Amino acid sequence: MMADKIFRVNMTDLSVSIEDVPADWLGLGGRGLTSTIIAAEVPPTCHPLGKYNKLVFAPGLLSGTRAADSGRLSAGAKSPLTGTIKESNSGGTASQLLARMGIKALIIEGMPEKDIFYRLKVNTEGVSISEETALVGRGNFAVVDSLPDDVGVLSIGQAGENRMSAANISVMDPDGKLRSLGRGGLGAVMGSKKIKYIVIDPAGSPKTMPLVDEEKFKAAAKVFAKALHDHPVSGEALPEYGTNILINIVNEIGGLPTRNSRYGQFDGHDKISGEKMRELIDARGGKPRHGCHPGCVIQCSQVFVDKDGKYVTSGFEYESIWAMGAGCCIDDLDILAEADHLMDDMGIDTIETAVAIGVAMEAGVIDFGDGVGFLGLLREIQQATPQGRILGSGAAVVGKVYGQTRVPVVKGQAIPAYDPRSVKGIGITYCTSTMGADHTAGYTVATNILKCGGFVDPLQKEGQVELSRNLQIATAAVDSTGLCVFVAFAVLDNPDALPAVVEMINARFGSSLTVDDVTALGKSILKTERAFNQAAGFTVQDDRLPEFFEEPVSPHDAVWDFTGEEIDAFWDF
Amino acid sequence: MMADKIFRVNMTDLSVSIEDVPADWLGLGGRGLTSTIIAAEVPPTCHPLGKYNKLVFAPGLLSGTRAADSGRLSAGAKSPLTGTIKESNSGGTASQLLARMGIKALIIEGMPEKDIFYRLKVNTEGVSISEETALVGRGNFAVVDSLPDDVGVLSIGQAGENRMSAANISVMDPDGKLRSLGRGGLGAVMGSKKIKYIVIDPAGSPKTMPLVDEEKFKAAAKVFAKALHDHPVSGEALPEYGTNILINIVNEIGGLPTRNSRYGQFDGHDKISGEKMRELIDARGGKPRHGCHPGCVIQCSQVFVDKDGKYVTSGFEYESIWAMGAGCCIDDLDILAEADHLMDDMGIDTIETAVAIGVAMEAGVIDFGDGVGFLGLLREIQQATPQGRILGSGAAVVGKVYGQTRVPVVKGQAIPAYDPRSVKGIGITYCTSTMGADHTAGYTVATNILKCGGFVDPLQKEGQVELSRNLQIATAAVDSTGLCVFVAFAVLDNPDALPAVVEMINARFGSSLTVDDVTALGKSILKTERAFNQAAGFTVQDDRLPEFFEEPVSPHDAVWDFTGEEIDAFWDF
């Protein structure tokens, strides 16, 4: 089979090159590859929106194969939100297409002198760069609606064009709708490079990946898919209710950050729960199950429709619903769905933006619970008014601009949907993740709440550092395969799952990796990322939660009580 | 004589205590004392606007005596602008009054639960705390106009009330007008502690300080005053034209940051120069010479009036005029004077704010040169509109909110009136100062441009690190005496000046310090401040200029070309 290549686009002189993959990078994919490239080629202290930053897209090692749930795409850069290295991953069709086209990574570097936007068209031969005017100033839906369904699309909306720190990059999904490379402001990096969208045209590439050992692959893939299917979380709960099944669960254990992290439970939880959402979808004729990429067997997504059965949004996730719902005390799913759509269209991280608005509510910009006001603020972001620019810059900037102290961020990134005081393992992940506060970096909730891979009491300190460490190492490896983070439940509980993953990789590449090698890869990725951050000026003082988490949170009166030394022990590996 | 005391106000429970001065602090004053107290009592990682930060005011060691130019007041806190330790100093009458009242330092800690403002009244007996309503929401002039002229006043305007990171603290001057504890957002700290203003009532205190050796003091004071008078800068140039004499000088050598640091010379320099200002003041019947505190022999200030001879502003400094004039390309002194008045009234740092507006101009918010637009933006800050809050948060936040890369800041503080590419010594000071970019921390311009204390070619790298180091050490000591930074010219050129300062300190306290002890004090202060910053998470990567200073600046095509290693050698002492 043809060797994979690196496609490199220089936006300063609009040149393109196709390069062999360096030997060191051959065994890498996804996050492992984006982080390695960023660490190798981007000066850690550079301005994230300047000419020295680079934007790298890389499919996972298993992307493009028939491995279940292997279609995640990684994007990497130095983050304008956090100043750290950043990997963000997403579903959509782009990852599988890039992989089948033999594109190991697409690197975008430099930036144009002129203030005009471009579109890139990637095919197996190379990349063409054209000036774009028609779609500039328009949302992501206008972009995907203008393109055929069989190409891959990476696009930015108005938030990315305006280089807002919370801007994301949208990825077209199998239905021609949107998924997001959500966190860390990578849309602003794409905007700084003046790229409105990238079309990935797979013409001439094989439908499935060539594999070194087809039979071995098929057998392992079957074991793996079965493990996903057999697990109650990935086989039942997620397909049935989507990620939003978590609203009631996390509310019940008192870990649902409510009213800008003031409380741990939300009175209106029933009105925004996964159960309620399913009820509405069924009654209105929406689609309760949906995959973000072909080959997903979990199907945790859904299509949410309005009272008239009209499409409103898809990929309506727990994190978004929590952030707007409990975080901002808005208990109306229809408003949240409209807001979700608006944020997808303008291309902005729902977590960061809703937490930012929660901080603005704390400052009195609008009242908690004001759903109409929330939608109005989103339109200000879309229009890039001064108010909108503040909010689009993320929660930390909102806190600074309004002189607030209750600002739930780590390394400038908004804390997601689990209060670290009452789910202490995830607090360790927020502190120590190389990405800023990020639940997916080491999803201890699986063990703290869902009791996968055993149980570590979320209210006690014991065992949390080790739990977060093990999960962050595993996740860094999983994020390199193109597999969805939700395979973790099966991996934690089913001893057949991880060996099957390793077997699939070996069958694809003809390698002879072991499970230990995968762990070593995870460790190595984390260390590469941390070294970048340290060279950028980050210290252990950045691995801390904000001061206000010393306040007790209801219902357990839990406080954040880890010492710096205890947190820093995370890195003892 | 009565031993000096520490007055401590706790804003959480509205309690006051009067404490003996710890033995270690007896030899300290001004910056030496504020930085020592902050380092000892404030957790370096605390939120600057939270209950753990403290605001400390301290007169200098010579304040209250008849030593020429000794009436500077230091204020210290953890800065909400930079996150570093911060000392800001100012003229006005407060320093001398506090010193005569035997108040070594006023420490304000804690913060009220309730959202109401207070006023403090300090007298020799203690501090009374009362609720303030009438003046809340009003500017600093309303505050000083409501109070008698014989008290000292420390006040915040709307910017401080709104906890904006660029807010300053105003100090009433001998004419009932305003001076500013300008940099680093200390007004936001005062606002976070809900103090609108502090009245210092000297009733019952001696008119001059009791001195251990009156005769020795008198003799040394005479030598010192003569040294200031004999030096061409402090004896001629500054009294004649004020600090604004520098516009033409710095423009001439090509170091005047113009159009948001894009060029080194400003076409409109003649229209905003010190010479032009003096001409206008003379023609309109303003006051060309003015001291910011009683006992100043330099009198670099002035009272600027409008065409009808009506008061517009005083303390109309080079830095402010440069920042608005060359920085934003506004060449109309009358507009700049009105803007200066507005900023004094709302209580915001002129450097930070004008640089912030320059970055906003770069982003297209208004055009460069638009003086009326500039005034309009200032009113938005005063009214705390979203646009105003962005600008009032300082240049770094403006850069982030508008996705700009040309953002002249170090450690989040705006770079002052000398381009570091063409005045390289000051670039070292900007990088290494514990305060963020601050020209007064080590004013190499004295030697680089004014040729005081020798000459170090501003365009060459040689000698700049040593120059900045020596000046920063000396300045840290001078900032502890209550002496104005402009005594430095005489100290650099006249061998009698520094021994006379040491002699005055000895005569006041009965100590037997040497010049070497003063240098040791300066070193110790810098190290204390740096240790605080390091514990707060700052590293050598924060001691760097922004990336864009690699671009050549006209007229010399100078670039910033120090390596990190060269910069870091600053700390080898």
Side-chain angles (χ1 to χ4, degrees), chain B residues 389-526:
Chain B
R389 282 192 171 273
I390 295 169
L391 300 169
S393 299
V397 166
V398 175
K400 186 136 188 178
V401 167
Y402 284 96
Q404 298 299 305
T405 55
R406 179 177 289 277
V407 186
V409 298
V410 180
K411 300 185 181 72
Q413 183 166 286
I415 285 179
Y418 312 90
D419 195 299
R421 290 165 289 193
S422 25
V423 190
K424 292 190 192 292
I426 203 74
I428 296 294
T429 296
Y430 296 159
C431 288
T432 56
S433 167
T434 51
M435 303 287 154
D438 178 351
H439 60 298
T440 66
Y443 190 63
T444 71
V445 172
T447 309
N448 285 154
I449 302 180
L450 304 175
K451 302 188 180 173
C452 299
F455 175 62
V456 176
D457 183 344
L459 291 165
Q460 303 300 319
K461 287 163 70 176
E462 286 67 36
Q464 309 292 3
V465 170
E466 194 185 4
L467 175 65
S468 177
R469 185 194 296 131
N470 291 340
L471 286 172
Q472 287 198 54
I473 290 168
T475 303
V478 167
D479 285 344
S480 304
T481 61
L483 293 170
C484 169
V485 71
F486 290 158
V487 308
F489 305 110
V491 166
L492 285 166
D493 284 332
N494 185 330
D496 297 338
L498 187 54
V501 172
V502 177
E503 188 82 344
M504 288 191 288
I505 295 171
N506 288 336
R508 187 192 152 181
F509 293 101
S511 54
S512 49
L513 298 175
T514 64
V515 166
D516 285 350
D517 292 328
V518 172
T519 305
L521 173 67
K523 288 181 180 174
S524 154
I525 293 168
L526 292 182

Side-chain angles (χ1 to χ4, degrees), chain A residues 281-295:
Chain A
I281 289 173
D282 286 345
R284 294 172 173 182
K287 202 169 158 190
R289 297 188 188 189
H290 188 249
C292 71
H293 64 274

